[in-house]
Amino acid sequence: MLIFSPKGIGAILSVAAAALTQPCAAQEQAKTTVTFLTAERPDTFAPAIALFERQHKNIHIEYQQVPFDNLSAQVAARIGSGDKDLDLYAVDVPRVTELASKSYLAPLEDERAKLENIAGDKAIQAVSYQGKIYAYPLWTSTQIMYFNRDLLNAAHIPYPSADPARRLTWQQLVGQAQQAQQAGAPWGFSFEQVDRYYQLLSLYISYGAGSGLKGNDALTADLTSGGWQQVSDWYRSLYIKHIAPRGVTPEQTPDLFGDGKVAFFVGGPWNIGRFNKVASLHYGVAPMPYFAGGSPSTPTDSWAVGINPHSAHAREAKLFAEFISIDPEGSYSTVINNPLPPVNNVAFKRYIGNLSTMDSKIGPISSIVSYELAHTAVSRPRTKGYVIFETIIDRAFSDIRNGADSKQTLERAQLRLNRSFARIK
């Protein structure tokens, strides 16, 4: 029989208590924080993060958001300085070439078999540089034309066909937009992403003017030939003639359509949920127009996710990246609050199935999206100078929209681009 003094019992209880609390402390210490930098709203990835953290209780995803225009600078500053605290980040697909060439992305060639199992060749090529994979593809994209049924009815304009083979030309659209304005529509037409190369590239491709870059390395500007001035003049005329509104940002344009102030609106399918919340808005969908004599062309590509090569938590970062890209449930969870088409094949079928529930109300949106992605999607060029190009060309679009002479603006942009590209070459 053992007899303990009160002092001895206290000591034993203290040891026992410490033994009980040590596992908790160890668990807290073992929990790894993975930093994820993006330009998306927090609610975009919130469902995915919640689902992932339930399955990986020892990993916490720290979400960091910066404006889209600041993302490239943040990535360059942090990764360029060897920052180990940034683990993974969202990558605009056309920037993979530049980021990989600067060693800002960890190589992911060991993930090829997994990615080929869930994504097509085009999606994998989009996240590759010199034949090797450097990012996990997340989403793709397309554009559709929305039309306000009430404004078209008031102007006695027939609804545009949902058949891709009978899509409107841009020339027809301008005439109908002006007709709608004469009947009371505040604005005849608006792009969603005004002044952005992502959306406007398709105009130049449709016309046959090319991407604005040439050469095997796409490091020579080509803005003064091949129809770029003609298309830019057309874009300028939308604002000179007050068919489309000036003084608005891409973030503001959907509200103009949602408020019933725009007859025709070209934007992404992610707007559908937003528009459906407006009870007074009666709208339909149709394929994006094209230039008569040219070919139908629609924007595509979207975000991927890359790993910082200096990451202190590369293993955990890859687990999360695989979850939101390769895992069908994880992939689909990223489009619940931001309905872009997922690259993951299984998640895409689920996405299209859900989209089809809107067909009877707004038109065959599911088949339009599927058709455009398969037949008319045109990617932005892959080049080491993409960020420079996008920055300068977007500024040129803005100047043209605000009345600057198209020819002179494009000539200045080409001169600036070729000077900048010379340093890269």
Side-chain angles (χ1 to χ4, degrees), residues 106-109 111-113 115-116 124 127-129 131-137:
L108 299 171
E109 190 62 20
E111 299 282 44
R112 178 174 293 276
L115 289 171
E116 287 179 342
I124 293 174
V127 293
S128 298
Y129 170 63
K132 295 183 179 180
I133 298 171
Y134 281 88
Y136 296 87

Side-chain angles (χ1 to χ4, degrees), residues 130-321:
Q130 295 184 341
K132 295 183 179 180
I133 298 171
Y134 281 88
Y136 296 87
L138 291 182
W139 310 317
T140 184
S141 68
T142 189
Q143 297 283 287
I144 52 181
M145 184 171 71
Y146 299 86
F147 57 90
N148 184 304
R149 296 180 189 272
D150 294 335
L151 294 179
L152 267 57
N153 289 341
H156 304 291
I157 298 172
Y159 300 155
S161 174
D163 182 353
R166 299 174 58 201
R167 70 181 74 216
L168 289 179
T169 65
W170 284 116
Q171 293 89 335
Q172 290 172 322
L173 177 77
V174 167
Q176 293 187 5
Q178 290 176 309
Q179 186 179 339
Q181 285 182 287
Q182 292 168 1
W187 301 105
F189 172 76
S190 180
F191 287 108
E192 177 178 8
Q193 297 194 22
V194 290
D195 303 344
R196 285 187 179 171
Y197 184 67
Y198 163 78
Q199 190 170 58
L200 301 184
L201 168 63
S202 60
L203 300 176
Y204 296 87
I205 298 297
S206 175
Y207 192 84
S211 70
L213 293 171
K214 62 183 180 180
N216 292 333
D217 53 5
L219 283 174
T220 301
D222 187 27
L223 306 178
T224 58
S225 62
W228 262 74
Q229 182 182 337
Q230 289 88 335
V231 177
S232 298
D233 284 341
W234 178 87
Y235 181 64
R236 180 176 182 269
S237 71
L238 294 175
Y239 304 94
I240 294 294
K241 296 178 181 178
H242 305 290
I243 298 169
R246 283 181 181 165
V248 292
T249 66
E251 293 75 24
Q252 296 169 324
T253 53
D255 285 336
L256 289 177
F257 184 80
D259 291 341
K261 296 179 180 179
V262 179
F264 297 96
F265 176 78
V266 168
W270 49 83
N271 290 297
I272 292 173
R274 184 178 192 166
F275 294 157
N276 286 346
K277 294 178 182 178
V278 185
S280 60
L281 180 64
H282 307 119
Y283 74 97
V285 296
M288 185 172 176
Y290 75 109
F291 280 112
S295 58
S297 170
T298 52
T300 194
D301 296 328
S302 188
W303 291 98
V305 63
I307 308 296
N308 176 6
H310 310 300
S311 168
H313 310 111
R315 185 186 71 83
E316 292 85 357
K318 287 183 72 172
L319 281 175
F320 180 67

Side-chain angles (χ1 to χ4, degrees), residues 39 154 223 245 313 315 361 363 367 371 377 399:
L223 306 178
H313 310 111
R315 185 186 71 83
K361 179 180 179 182
S367 60
Y371 181 89
D399 290 342

Side-chain angles (χ1 to χ4, degrees), residues 389-410:
F389 175 73
E390 186 181 65
T391 300
I392 292 176
I393 198 63
D394 285 2
R395 191 172 303 155
F397 288 145
S398 178
D399 290 342
I400 290 169
R401 180 165 70 113
N402 286 299
D405 180 81
S406 299
K407 183 174 184 294
Q408 294 176 4
T409 301
L410 293 173

